[in-house]
Amino acid sequence: MTASPSAPDVAPAPPSAPASPTALYRVITVVVLGTVMAVLDMTIVNVALRRLSESFGAPLQTIQWTATAYTLALAAVIPTAGWAMARIGAKRTYLTALVLFALGSLLAACAWDAGSLIAFRAVQGLGGGLLQPVGMAMGMRVADRARLGRAMGLLGLPILVGPVAGPVLGGWLVDSVSWHWIFLINLPVGALALVLAARLLPKDAPDRRGQEPPRLDVPGLLMLSPGLALLLYGLTRCGERGDATSPGTLLPLFAGVALAAGFVRRALTARAPLLDLRLLRDRTFAAGIGTLALFTCGYFGSMLLGPLYWQQERGRTATAAGMLGAPVGLVVGMTMQIAARRIDRAVPRRLIAAGCAVAALGMALLAWQTGTAGVAPWRIVAGGMVMGVGAGMTLMPAMTTATRGLSPDRLAGASTALSINAQLAASVGTALLSVVLSSAGQSPSGFRLTYAVTAALLALAVLPALRLPSHRQE
């Protein structure tokens, strides 16, 4: 099925001539630096929550709002990415995102109580929510179809660096320096990213050709952004409390679903919707986003299990738990680089469906190992590494396949849709697995059941993956 005509609210197409390899690597360098900063920040803050609770004299449930506020701000701003790129250009939007993130980091480092820290983390989230979709759109635009897989592989480097370095760096900063530095460390990185972005990113001021600037779909924004925020809030509450039936969980979930449904109706009928859902009429994009939804739900949702298992069941420290998880992150990153380049020449259906199956096998091995008392740690790490191979074969190759056939003027909308999909799926997975683990009890049998549910989610991702193209994409 061919893609429908582009909605007028996405950024204009770049020149038809493909960018040089030098221009491609300049853009990727800037995007990777900014994304690494955001990914590291999230993993570092998660490690530091208990220390922040002690420093501010606030309950851990209150301090956890530093992560929740960031996520809610992220959800609120992601839908505006396509409009912002069309209005002021991708480069200016990316520079704005970097400034917001750095400013939020500085303010968070100067926080005087839990409330101010939560508010300043929301400022960070406004910047972080734009970094990924705008960066991905710039990378996809500058790469021609023959180099798209390689470009996406490089754009996926933060997935390698964040899970490996974040927990270790965060543990060292809060133990050896102070909690302020978990935010201050973003300032030199953000300053470098700003300088490089200003110098290396190509100018892309939109050419209106006598047309009026695109208008923001305000009704759509007032439905989608609060809808996503309420959904993520309800899912977060469900994951924290392990209870999906309390009014504090159900009311925001129902309200979020109602607002999201209203947005879907508007997006399919409005002339210039905030988000072009007509992208889903493209069979390859629909199959790719379906694969990623199920896979992300299981893969990113399971990231809470490893640290809990090592610390609660095996008595390891937070730093040791981070070190035991590092080999998995390394395997994901290394496999991703190989698979993302291979997808330029391989049959997508075979590679990605095989990746989902391998990841499900690795999760099944983790279910077996963690449910066995006294099992050697290397066996658990080995099971995680098998899962990591599958994740590397799936994540960026699926994104590459989903977007390769789209016209350049639809890439802004596609990157925004992929970012929303990832955020929602990860939140759903985290909440679902938290409820399963709480219900089963945090014991070897509880971890076995939760990992088994995760394996089932990854196995289900094979079904939409089998609808991906069965031939090489040109």
Side-chain angles (χ1 to χ4, degrees):
M1 185 180 296
T2 58
S4 60
S6 61
D9 63 317
V10 296
S16 57
S20 66
T22 301
L24 172 63
Y25 291 125
R26 285 177 176 176
V27 171
I28 289 176
T29 298
V30 173
V31 172
V32 167
L33 185 60
T35 308
V36 163
M37 178 178 63
V39 173
L40 276 176
D41 180 81
M42 285 190 289
T43 54
I44 287 174
V45 170
N46 287 339
V47 171
L49 289 178
R50 189 169 297 277
R51 181 59 59 87
L52 291 171
S53 175
E54 296 171 355
S55 299
F56 289 116
L60 187 59
Q61 292 84 352
T62 300
I63 291 297
Q64 284 176 337
W65 270 93
T66 59
T68 304
Y70 183 93
T71 301
L72 297 182
L74 210 73
V77 77
I78 284 176
T80 67
W83 171 82
M85 284 186 274
R87 182 81 182 190
I88 64 175
K91 179 176 181 176
R92 290 179 180 175
T93 304
Y94 198 76
L95 289 171
T96 302
L98 287 172
V99 169
L100 279 173
F101 193 89
L103 176 62
S105 299
L106 176 60
L107 292 173
C110 299
W112 54 89
D113 59 16
S116 61
L117 178 62
I118 291 168
F120 297 146
R121 282 284 288 164
V123 176
Q124 270 190 304
L126 294 176
L130 290 174
L131 285 175
Q132 181 179 359
V134 176
M136 186 185 298
M138 290 192 297
M140 290 189 297
R141 283 178 181 176
V142 79
D144 56 41
R145 294 188 178 184
R147 293 180 293 175
L148 184 58
R150 174 172 296 186
M152 294 295 278
L154 293 173
L155 290 173
L157 282 173
I159 298 177
L160 163 63
V161 176
V164 174
V168 178
L169 179 60
W172 178 77
L173 286 173
V174 296
D175 288 340
S176 303
V177 192
S178 75
W179 68 265
H180 302 275
W181 278 95
I182 66 176
F183 302 111
L184 290 175
I185 196 172
N186 293 327
L187 299 185
V189 181
L192 177 60
L194 272 171
V195 171
L196 292 179
R199 298 188 60 180
L200 299 182
L201 292 180
K203 295 181 180 179
D204 64 340
D207 180 11
R208 304 296 178 201
R209 301 180 184 178
Q211 299 179 355
E212 293 183 2
R215 295 181 179 179
L216 180 63
D217 178 18
V218 176
L221 180 64
L222 293 178
M223 286 187 282
L224 182 57
S225 290
L228 290 175
L230 286 167
L231 277 172
L232 293 178
Y233 173 75
L235 291 168
T236 301
R237 294 263 298 188
C238 178
E240 289 175 354
R241 301 191 175 192
D243 181 10
T245 61
S246 66
T249 298
L250 287 179
L251 289 178
L253 282 176
F254 285 148
V257 169
L259 286 170
F263 171 78
V264 169
R265 181 179 179 181
R266 176 176 176 79
L268 294 175
T269 57
R271 184 176 180 181
L274 182 69
L275 184 63
D276 185 13
L277 295 184
R278 299 178 185 93
L279 286 164
L280 296 174
R281 294 177 180 173
D282 185 295
R283 176 176 174 175
T284 300
F285 184 80
I289 208 167
T291 302
L292 288 166
L294 287 167
F295 195 90
T296 301
C297 183
Y299 174 67
F300 287 101
S302 70
M303 287 189 174
L304 66 95
L305 299 177
L308 283 175
Y309 173 79
W310 288 117
Q311 293 179 68
Q312 295 187 11
E313 296 301 316
R314 306 301 291 264
R316 306 287 177 136
T317 64
T319 302
M323 295 296 291
L324 286 165
V328 179
L330 289 171
V331 168
V332 172
M334 293 170 59
T335 308
M336 185 183 298
Q337 296 308 306
I338 298 170
R341 288 164 172 77
R342 181 64 181 165
I343 198 65
D344 287 333
R345 302 180 300 276
V347 175
R349 179 185 296 179
R350 295 176 185 172
L351 178 63
I352 296 169
C356 295
V358 171
L361 173 62
M363 282 293 184
L365 290 173
L366 286 173
W368 175 41
Q369 302 287 0
T370 55
T372 304
V375 67
W378 70 264
R379 293 174 61 180
I380 298 173
V381 173
M385 292 172 71
V386 173
M387 182 276 297
V389 170
M393 293 170 63
T394 303
L395 290 170
M396 298 311 287
M399 291 187 187
T400 303
T401 302
T403 56
R404 192 190 296 274
L406 299 178
S407 58
D409 60 344
R410 310 196 78 197
L411 293 179
S415 65
T416 302
L418 287 169
S419 296
I420 292 173
N421 179 66
Q423 190 66 44
L424 271 178
S427 298
V428 170
T430 301
L432 172 64
L433 297 179
S434 295
V435 171
V436 172
L437 185 60
S438 298
S439 301
Q442 294 187 15
S443 62
S445 60
F447 281 100
R448 168 175 283 180
L449 175 61
T450 311
Y451 272 118
V453 171
T454 308
L457 288 170
L458 300 183
L460 285 173
V462 173
L463 298 178
L466 292 175
R467 297 182 62 83
L468 292 168
S470 57
H471 56 274
R472 289 177 53 189
Q473 291 179 295
E474 300 298 333

